[in-house]
Amino acid sequence: MSEFVQWSDTKARIREIDPEWDSPERAAARETSREQLQAELRGAAFSVAAPASADESSGRVTGVVCGR
């Protein structure tokens, strides 16, 4: 069975391995990556929603149902 590890211990170990982990550039890159992943997940959830029909005269999409 695995042991619980304190987050502070984990972060200290990460800094030992890669001192640049907390650099502003790396933090910004992780945030951008996180935002992209969340957008992809929202898009995937949207794509499995009920089929939509396009109103060609207005360019609007109708009949989209989101949620579970």
Side-chain angles (χ1 to χ4, degrees):
M1 185 171 208
S2 53
E3 297 179 24
F4 290 101
V5 178
Q6 294 291 323
W7 178 239
S8 57
D9 295 341
T10 302
K11 287 182 75 169
R13 180 72 176 124
I14 290 169
R15 287 186 193 105
E16 286 175 18
I17 294 169
D18 185 1
E20 296 296 315
W21 177 256
D22 286 333
S23 72
E25 296 83 16
R26 296 276 298 271
R30 285 193 300 275
E31 180 62 26
T32 300
S33 177
R34 187 177 300 115
E35 289 172 358
Q36 289 173 346
L37 175 62
Q38 289 171 345
E40 289 172 10
L41 293 174
R42 284 191 303 271
F46 187 72
S47 70
V48 297
S53 61
D55 179 358
E56 293 180 18
S57 62
S58 67
R60 291 182 294 170
V61 176
T62 60
V64 176
V65 178
C66 293
R68 295 180 186 238

